[in-house]
Amino acid sequence: MTAALGMFAHPFVRNAFVAGTAIAVAAGLVGYFVVLRGQVFTGDALSHVAVTGALAALAFGVDARAGLFASTIVVGMAMAGFARRGRADDVVIGSVFAWVLGLGVLFLSVYITSRSTGNGAAGVSVLFGSILGLSAGHARTAALVAAGVVVAVALIGRPLLFASVDDDVAAARGVPVRALGIAFLALVGVVAAEATQAVGALLLLELLAAPAGAALRLTARPYIALSLSAGIAVAATWGGLTASYLLPRVPPSFAIVAVASAVYALTFLVPRVRRSGSSASM
Amino acid sequence: MIGAAGAHASWNVVDDVRQLFEFTFMVNALRAGTIVAVVAGVVGWFMVLRREAFAGHTLALVGFPGAAGAVWLGVDAAWGYFGFCLGAALVIAGLGTGGAGSAGGAGGRYSEESAGIGVVQAFALACGFLFVSLYGGFLNGVNALLFGTFLGITDGQVLVLLVVAAAALVVVGAVGRPLLFASVDPDVAAARGVGVRGLNVVFLVLLGLTVAEVSQITGTLLVFALLVMPAATAQHMTARPQTGLCVTVALAVAVTWLGLAVAYFTPYPIGFFVTTFAFAAYVGAAATRLLRLRTG
């Protein structure tokens, strides 16, 4: 326990906790809608776009974050824009992101061959994150971005929920379903770009899908599920960071994903318990 | 990729082709690429029809921890690919409620299953990363596992690919007709006594086998290029199942050959070329169809 508390003496651990918490809250909130709208595959595609965005920025010698945010937000909005009612077809998504990844491979090889100092490690940290390498400035940016995401979710939450549950009725009642779909995927893009820096492009889907999937299994009430989703994401991040501090050979992004997966797996036990309880009382 | 090693492309096509077949590794790469492209085309066509792209993608990514784990334990990577992909196929089949379109189709309502698939996928990738970290110091190996390499394919590997591909094609031949029926209309097929649920499991296992094969050439992240794009292109070109299947396989093979050939003469990775050619075909087919709809 003291060993676990002692880790806060290190500034890089504090930065990781600040950034990790902010990213987890944003991903948990947005992830709830991603799962509710059946757009997990879209989130998956955006995470791969983030790879290419970051690698392109590296290849051209720009700050990786510029590439990340530009690519995920633009592609997210484009996917929503081309699709019927703001939800893209999965074959289209699959074709586009396979090609985008192909571009990413090209940028990676350009980066590796053109810069003598560059090596495969850069690609690996884009893919799997480097949360312990974040500076105080990164952590502050992450917190600001997350605050923005929370405000945005608070603003569009109600109509988005309506449109997600029943888009026909929502459209009939005058909710701008299509615009909401585009705005929402832009928001997912922001979260994807932010989360790439912490857990890596390939693992951010976990932060979107696992807490939200778990929350949706535990409760049917939207606002409780929304907060539960953010709570589980934060708990998984803290648990993962602590575990990777105590077990130095375990990379933090693996630990975070493992905790989140375990929470999701545990929720499969819950409904059965409830159901057998209610049938026993009848 | 080995353009610096002395291969030079010229306008003399015959000479270019001769250069392509000059080295054993390249001949093996072409053999392996062809085998993989044929299986990927056939199974990918059914996958697109069944709208199980997300499940296919997840199975592909599961190959990464399989291969990384196998390397960590010092076993042949092929064991890791096949073992993990088949295991994941069974897990997804167990999670699912069965039937086409259940695996996270984008038009669907909130599906618990798609969240489950997402979790399986991210956890698998994280495990792969853990194995890589535990093994330590093969960072360039990670890129090869994720983005593919066609260098250093042995005769033995080609043989394994061929045997597995043949087995997969035999299974497709055996269940092809009921699978087509069950994919197009699961409800009617079930009513007519077709074992839709059993077929779903068989197909996912088939998909697992296929992605395990394709991953070994294109890398875990680019399996989709051969699995989805040729099939999606063919569906823009024809609605007939038999023609569609043939077009898909032809496209997959053509794209692989072109990709291999161009990658051989340039310093850039094969993954980029294969995905780019496949995507170009897809965009071309989609645009042609759109134009025809507008004018006709």
Side-chain angles (χ1 to χ4, degrees), chain B residues 266-280:
Chain B
T266 61
Y268 298 111
I270 175 175
F272 167 68
F273 294 111
V274 170
T275 50
T276 301
F277 294 140
F279 190 68

Side-chain angles (χ1 to χ4, degrees), chain A residues 35-36 40-41 44 48 88-89 91 98-99 101-103 105 109 127 167 202-203 206 217 249 251 253-254 261 264, chain B residues 51 54 57 106 109-110 112 114 116 119 121-123 125-126 129 133-134 146-147 221 232 268-269 272 275-276 279:
Chain A
V35 175
L36 190 70
V40 179
F41 192 48
D44 186 14
H48 289 69
D89 181 359
V91 170
W99 178 61
L101 261 185
L103 277 180
V105 181
S109 86
L127 293 169
D167 51 0
L202 291 184
L203 304 184
E206 178 78 14
R217 289 188 68 88
R249 291 206 69 183
S253 43
F254 169 78
S261 302
Y264 178 72
Chain B
R51 316 208 79 74
F54 190 30
H57 181 55
R109 294 272 153 232
Y110 141 60
E112 214 161 67
S114 74
V119 174
Q121 168 182 333
F123 184 63
L125 283 171
F129 184 47
S133 316
L134 289 177
L146 290 173
F147 297 118
L221 292 180
Y268 298 111
F272 167 68
T275 50
T276 301
F279 190 68

Side-chain angles (χ1 to χ4, degrees), chain A residues 155-205:
Chain A
L155 284 178
I156 66 168
R158 266 190 80 85
L160 185 64
L161 192 63
F162 192 9
S164 305
V165 175
D166 195 329
D167 51 0
D168 292 327
V169 176
R173 291 284 294 273
V175 176
V177 172
R178 199 182 158 81
L180 269 179
I182 295 176
F184 175 65
L185 278 189
L187 206 56
V188 178
V190 171
V191 172
E194 197 52 48
T196 298
Q197 299 163 46
V199 293
L202 291 184
L203 304 184
L204 69 88
L205 187 63

Side-chain angles (χ1 to χ4, degrees), chain B residues 59-70:
Chain B
L59 287 176
L61 295 183
V62 167
F64 171 60

